[in-house]
């Protein structure tokens, strides 16, 4: 369905009630890569690679932040959804919204009390291609300390469903032995090279060198049930944050260490008993072990620390090791965004700890399953490819932003069973731009030059494109006014939009502070003088609208949530 295009130069603007006096500040930092989101608190990362993108899932700290009225401590009790981001360049991240676990698990049984749903923390994700060519994605999460639940989908962004009517792992699971000794939480899943699924879990054991609270269990072919009894992993100083990888045929188990006192004699005895020569871990560090026989507790070899205490104001640690392309990345959480907001007086000084997901490069020797210690920093990682400005880009794709809000952080529709999209997608992905709000993307490669620009937007206002920094001179302007989403095309100076540039989309005027930013795209041709897009080669072709499950929407008027629009039906 082709939409009528409105020329900005021909628009008669309505009276603008709000004029931008100042541009919103940048709390993430102009050149920093960390955290991956400049406006969403999220934690406990896990990830997968799919179709040239890495998808990152995490605990939705922002849901607790909003429930707290943007103040107070993070009690985690109101975290009932999981955030989803993705990228193909490691710097520009697309926010796909949240998975509403509360809604999806509403049908779980509640007796006994420890098998029902309460919260969703610390997800772990994996996927596989079945023999018939179809793909399945499995997302595991912990329900506080009570156990592990699982969701299932046919794409990395859903729609998700709950295949079970209760927690997959709970106090009754053979070998779990949770009551009194450990918690059945923080799952870490992997599918090995033979197609067999495995999951680790457990934590909060005694504060000693050997809490014996870590567990691993095989999964049935369905990936939604355990197969047999869980066994212990004798992980020294184990506390929580279990994750699992398979590297060159061997299992690599990672976890966060506890706060037990470190005794040299005790550690030397452990080293001698296990024939290793590794320093003892510090508190709250990310440790790893390796095994080629995961169900044999004595096969696991402690290899050392690969991630330090994150600092940045956090009092816990959680990481995931993800291979993307030919490189490994260390995903973890810290609190740099929260600390900056407190320093600037944007939130109460007693607010915390609300965490943010960060990423740094990791060095892994696949032959020896050795992970070199990672040094976390705010710089993050180097962008691995340029962004293509000639493809339709969602407004939710950004390297940083300021003043950006979403329609509904809580992701809960009162008295509602389903969302407006008819699946479990959140409604919070209309990007709301007040006067002075902005988003940015890095390293957009224009080549020899762009001649026109398309803005998809709803509301009345003005958007300026600036190059290099948010306070730079205006390179192009789009004025708009519509009560529904419309496409506006303007001619741009091709001498300004050449080669590789960092872009800022600054909304300098916004009527009633209620402009909704949906998407943008540049073109190599001058399309500003036509009434309707005739699909030249550089224009969007066969543009359709799709929900988070990839299903085509016949009518998007008034739809809430993210709408993925591109000609190739590629999930981003």
């Amino acid at each position: 369905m082709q939409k009528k295009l409105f020329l900005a130069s021909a628009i008669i603007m309505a009276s603008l009630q709000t004029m931008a006096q100042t541009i919103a500040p940048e709390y993430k930092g102009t050149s920093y890569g960390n955290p991956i989101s400049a406006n969403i608190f999220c934690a406990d990362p896990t990830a997968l690679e799919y179709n040239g993108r890495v998808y990152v899932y995490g605990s939705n700290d922002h849901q607790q932040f909003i429930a707290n009225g943007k103040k107070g401590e993070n009690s985690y009790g109101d975290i009932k959804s999981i955030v989803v981001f993705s990228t193909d360049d490691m710097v520009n991240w697309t926010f796909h919204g949240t998975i509403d676990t509360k809604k999806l698990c509403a049908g779980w049984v509640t007796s006994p009390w420890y098998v029902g749903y309460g919260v969703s923390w610390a997800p772990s994700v994996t996927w596989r291609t079945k023999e018939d060519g179809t793909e399945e994605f499995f997302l595991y999460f912990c329900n506080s300390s009570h156990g592990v639940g699982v969701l299932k989908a046919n794409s990395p962004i859903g729609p998700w469903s709950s295949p079970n009517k209760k927690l997959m792992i709970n106090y009754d699971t053979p070998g779990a032995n949770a009551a009194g000794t450990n918690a059945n939480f923080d799952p870490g899943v992997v599918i090995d090279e033979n197609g067999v699924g495995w999951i680790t879990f457990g934590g909060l054991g005694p504060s000693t060198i050997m809490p014996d609270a870590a567990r691993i269990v095989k999964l049935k072919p369905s990936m939604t049930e355990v197969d047999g009894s869980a066994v212990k992993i004798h992980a020294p100083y184990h506390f929580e944050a279990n994750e699992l990888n398979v590297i060159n045929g061997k299992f690599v188990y990672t976890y966060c260490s506890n706060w037990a006192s470190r005794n040299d004699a005790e550690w030397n005895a452990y080293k001698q008993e296990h024939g290793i020569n590794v320093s003892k871990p510090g508190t709250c560090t990310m440790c790893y072990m390796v095994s080629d026989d995961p169900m044999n507790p004595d096969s696991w070899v402690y290899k050392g620390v690969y991630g330090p205490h994150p600092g940045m104001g956090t009092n816990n640690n959680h990481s995931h090791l993800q291979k993307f392309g030919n490189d490994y990345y260390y995903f973890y959480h810290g609190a740099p965004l929260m600390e900056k907001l407190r320093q600037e007086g944007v939130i109460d000084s007693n607010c915390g700890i609300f965490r943010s997901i960060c990423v740094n490069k990791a060095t892994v020797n696949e032959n020896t399953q050795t992970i070199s210690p990672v040094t976390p920093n705010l710089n993050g990682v180097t962008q691995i490819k340029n962004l293509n400005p000639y493809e339709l880009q969602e407004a939710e794709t950004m390297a940083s932003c300021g003043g950006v809000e979403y329609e509904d952080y809580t992701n809960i529709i009162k008295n509602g069973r389903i969302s407006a999209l008819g699946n479990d997608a959140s409604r919070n992905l209309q990007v709301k731009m007040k006067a002075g709000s902005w988003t940015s993307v890095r390293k957009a490669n224009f080549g020899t030059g762009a001649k026109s620009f398309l803005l998809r937007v709803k509301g009345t206002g003005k958007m300026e494109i600036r190059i290099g920094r948010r306070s730079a001179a205006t390179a192009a302007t789009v004025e708009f006014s519509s009560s529904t989403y419309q496409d506006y095309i303007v001619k741009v100076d091709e001498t300004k939009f050449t080669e590789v540039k960092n872009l800022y989309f600054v909304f300098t005027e916004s009527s009633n502070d209620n402009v909704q930013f949906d998407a943008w795209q540049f073109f190599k041709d001058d399309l500003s003088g036509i009434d309707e897009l005739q699909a030249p080669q550089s224009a969007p072709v066969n543009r359709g609208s799709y929900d988070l499950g990839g299903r085509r929407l016949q009518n998007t008027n008034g739809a809430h949530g993210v709408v993925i629009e591109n000609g190739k039906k590629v999930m981003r």
Side-chain angles (χ1 to χ4, degrees):
M1 179 180 68
Q2 299 292 335
K3 291 183 178 180
K4 195 73 171 179
L5 301 175
F6 291 82
L7 303 183
S9 59
I11 295 172
I12 300 176
M13 296 296 292
S15 176
L16 295 176
Q17 300 177 14
T18 305
M19 300 293 292
Q21 301 300 319
T22 58
I23 303 302
E26 183 170 30
Y27 297 111
K28 176 176 176 176
T30 302
S31 61
Y32 289 158
N34 285 326
I36 67 172
S37 174
N39 64 332
I40 301 293
F41 292 122
C42 45
D44 306 321
T46 188
L48 60 82
E49 180 184 0
Y50 177 71
N51 278 358
R53 297 187 71 84
V54 59
Y55 290 80
V56 175
Y57 307 75
S59 302
N60 191 1
D61 275 23
H62 214 98
Q63 190 170 25
Q64 184 72 57
F65 179 66
I66 297 301
N68 281 13
K70 302 183 181 181
K71 58 185 178 181
E73 289 296 324
N74 186 356
S75 65
Y76 313 116
D78 284 295
I79 298 177
K80 301 177 187 295
S81 58
I82 295 168
V83 298
V84 188
F85 291 86
S86 77
T87 186
D88 64 355
D89 63 24
M90 299 304 297
V91 169
N92 297 299
W93 290 88
T94 300
F95 178 42
H96 293 288
T98 57
I99 302 167
D100 192 343
T101 51
K102 179 180 180 180
K103 186 188 306 177
L104 293 171
C105 304
W108 284 10
V109 297
T110 57
S111 180
W113 64 269
Y114 51 81
V115 301
Y117 174 82
V119 293
S120 50
W121 304 342
S124 186
V125 68
T126 192
W127 71 284
R128 67 184 178 187
T129 301
K130 298 171 64 177
E131 291 183 359
D132 63 4
T134 60
E135 295 166 340
E136 293 180 310
F137 295 78
F138 301 92
L139 184 64
Y140 304 83
F141 63 91
C142 66
N143 184 23
S144 182
S145 62
H146 305 155
V148 175
V150 59
L151 302 176
K152 185 178 177 180
N154 293 320
S155 91
I157 52 175
W160 297 90
S161 62
S162 175
N164 299 332
K165 295 297 183 181
K166 61 180 181 180
L167 288 172
M168 184 185 76
I169 295 173
N170 56 63
Y171 290 170
D172 297 329
T173 300
N177 299 324
T181 59
N182 77 308
N184 292 325
F185 73 167
D186 287 12
V189 68
V190 75
I191 297 176
D192 69 18
E193 295 163 336
N194 298 313
V196 178
W198 305 84
I199 194 165
T200 55
F201 61 96
L204 305 188
S207 187
T208 62
I209 187 174
M210 190 54 63
D212 269 345
R215 300 288 188 274
I216 185 170
V217 67
K218 184 179 177 182
L219 295 174
K220 290 184 178 180
S222 67
M223 296 290 291
T224 60
E225 297 179 87
V226 300
D227 187 1
S229 178
V231 299
K232 295 178 180 179
I233 298 176
H234 299 307
Y237 299 113
H238 174 268
F239 185 64
E240 59 183 4
N242 315 283
E243 273 282 29
L244 198 58
N245 291 76
V246 172
I247 299 177
N248 196 20
K250 292 193 176 184
F251 292 79
V252 178
Y253 166 64
T254 61
Y255 66 93
C256 175
S257 64
N258 64 17
W259 279 260
S261 60
R262 274 38 171 180
N263 181 282
D264 287 343
E266 193 173 49
W267 182 248
N268 289 333
Y270 175 85
K271 290 196 300 181
Q272 184 175 357
E273 178 184 358
H274 294 276
I276 61 174
N277 185 23
V278 184
S279 299
K280 60 181 179 293
T283 61
C284 198
T285 56
M286 296 306 306
C287 308
Y288 73 110
M289 304 183 76
V290 174
S291 170
D292 56 8
D293 185 10
M295 295 299 284
N296 177 2
D298 295 325
S299 70
W300 290 94
V301 177
Y302 179 79
K303 299 272 284 188
V305 171
Y306 83 109
H309 188 298
M312 302 182 189
T314 55
N315 58 1
N316 54 37
N317 207 345
H318 200 116
S319 73
H320 174 76
L321 183 68
Q322 179 64 43
K323 189 174 185 180
F324 182 39
N326 295 320
D327 296 309
Y328 281 89
Y329 295 91
Y330 175 70
F331 288 94
Y332 61 100
H333 67 229
L337 181 61
M338 181 207 68
E339 285 199 323
K340 184 65 173 178
L341 292 174
R342 288 197 303 194
Q343 291 170 7
E344 297 295 328
V346 179
I347 59 177
D348 287 353
S349 59
N350 65 346
C351 188
I353 304 274
F354 294 96
R355 303 159 295 178
S356 296
I357 292 176
C358 303
V359 59
N360 283 92
K361 198 89 171 279
T363 300
V364 178
N365 184 325
E366 293 184 332
N367 294 325
T368 62
Q369 296 81 35
T370 301
I371 313 171
S372 299
V374 179
T375 302
N377 57 57
L378 292 177
N379 292 328
V381 299
T382 301
Q383 191 166 335
I384 61 175
K385 62 180 289 190
N386 293 327
L387 182 141
N388 185 356
Y390 301 114
E391 292 181 351
L392 190 71
Q393 300 288 344
E394 297 299 321
E396 297 85 14
T397 299
M398 59 188 79
S400 188
C401 66
V404 172
E405 297 180 358
Y406 297 94
E407 182 183 34
D408 178 13
Y409 278 122
T410 64
N411 190 38
I412 303 298
I413 303 174
K414 292 183 178 180
N415 303 318
R417 296 289 295 180
I418 61 175
S419 75
L421 284 179
N423 62 14
D424 57 279
S426 72
R427 297 183 64 186
N428 66 0
L429 283 184
Q430 292 194 49
V431 182
K432 182 178 179 181
M433 308 299 289
K434 297 180 179 180
S437 299
W438 57 272
T439 68
S440 69
V441 295
R442 295 178 188 164
K443 293 189 176 180
N445 188 2
F446 290 96
T448 57
K451 294 182 179 180
S452 52
F453 172 77
L454 177 148
L455 173 68
R456 183 166 301 151
V457 68
K458 179 175 68 175
T460 298
K462 181 196 295 185
M463 190 272 285
E464 297 180 0
I465 305 174
R466 301 177 181 181
I467 298 173
R469 63 187 191 278
R470 66 184 187 278
S471 59
T474 300
T477 301
V478 184
E479 295 182 345
F480 51 88
S481 183
S482 176
S483 60
T484 61
Y485 280 111
Q486 299 291 347
D487 292 348
Y488 299 86
I489 288 184
V490 296
K491 184 177 180 179
V492 299
D493 184 347
E494 64 179 312
T495 65
K496 294 181 179 179
F497 295 96
T498 61
E499 301 180 337
V500 178
K501 298 289 194 303
N502 295 338
L503 301 179
Y504 286 81
F505 303 103
V506 183
F507 286 74
T508 55
E509 298 176 1
S510 174
S511 179
N512 297 320
D513 279 342
N514 195 30
V515 165
Q516 304 292 343
F517 179 24
D518 183 54
W520 61 271
Q521 183 175 3
F522 283 87
F523 301 93
K524 295 180 180 179
D525 303 312
D526 182 2
L527 305 179
S528 61
I530 59 176
D531 291 332
E532 188 163 337
L533 195 62
Q534 297 300 320
Q537 185 173 2
S538 59
V541 181
N542 297 325
R543 186 173 66 245
S545 300
Y546 302 88
D547 66 16
L548 280 179
R551 296 177 296 197
R552 190 181 183 99
L553 300 176
Q554 298 302 318
N555 182 2
T556 61
N557 290 335
H560 292 283
V562 65
V563 176
I564 300 173
E565 298 176 306
N566 61 56
K568 298 180 181 179
K569 294 178 66 175
V570 176
M571 303 289 186
R572 290 181 309 201

